[in-house]
Amino acid sequence: MPTALIADDEPLLIAALTERIRAVWPALEIIAVAKNGIEALSLLSQMQPDFAFLDIRMPGLTGLQVAENVRNTRVIFVTAYDEYALAAFEACAVDYLLKPVSDERLAQCIARLQREAAPKADWPRLNRELTASNSPSYLQWLTASLGDTTRLIAIDEVRYFQATEKYTEVVTLQGRFLIRTSLKELLPQLNPQRFLQIHRSYIVCLPAIDRIEKDLLGRQAIYLKDSTTTLPLSRSHAAQFRQM
């Protein structure tokens, strides 16, 4: 029976991908999951699965760094790189799935894994190609939960993020959803041309802002377009808007 490992720093993504892979390839046994690159490399060395589905951006080691140290496992990258950069994966004979992964694309990838022998990946070339062809890779989508429902949310839908005691709320026009990623971890993954932190508990989407107002006590608030929502703007973050 073929075996596989899945590595991603978002547990919901691991669960969703595991379920979908099992539906497409019931004979494939998922024998391990990892939440960061270091754990992935350790498990791969110990268990030697036939396949590894690796996120590219993970804490500790990137998916590329893990793959370069794997010898007997066929690597499939699950990546948010844009379509232009994916030419590098094609040229270097590397299997990949582009997030968000469609059912059709997953089925095509599984069919290729079942049909073809592992290609010889050109890791040095891949690193050069990705470095040359890509600006920083920012989040394009995320997986969030609302009750028992898990939803795939495009970053373009997000109006703001709000930190709560245990979670981060993702607020869109369609509703409020929860993710486990903190604002501190989330901010470097967001395009700074589109998102700014305005308070220790808030990150706002710049195109969603209508205006900034100051009250009699000098406190500033951000008003969002198409709603009555206002968000606090702390003094320590207000300078960002004066520089624009």
Side-chain angles (χ1 to χ4, degrees), residues 18 24 106 199:
T18 298
V24 177
L106 178 60
H199 185 275

Side-chain angles (χ1 to χ4, degrees), residues 113-133:
L113 297 179
Q114 294 172 324
R115 181 178 64 249
E116 301 174 4
K120 185 177 180 181
D122 188 344
W123 300 119
R125 179 180 177 184
L126 180 59
N127 278 318
R128 290 195 304 270
E129 293 277 353
L130 292 179
T131 300
S133 64

Side-chain angles (χ1 to χ4, degrees), residues 64-83:
L64 284 171
Q65 290 171 321
V66 173
E68 286 184 57
N69 290 280
V70 170
R71 294 292 175 266
N72 300 313
T73 297
R74 185 167 179 177
V75 172
I76 304 93
F77 289 116
V78 185
T79 174
Y81 274 101
D82 62 30
E83 293 185 8

Side-chain angles (χ1 to χ4, degrees), residues 138-156:
Y138 298 115
L139 279 179
Q140 299 299 314
W141 64 280
L142 48 83
T143 303
S145 60
L146 177 62
D148 295 329
T149 300
T150 298
R151 181 183 171 191
L152 194 67
I153 300 174
I155 286 296
D156 289 344

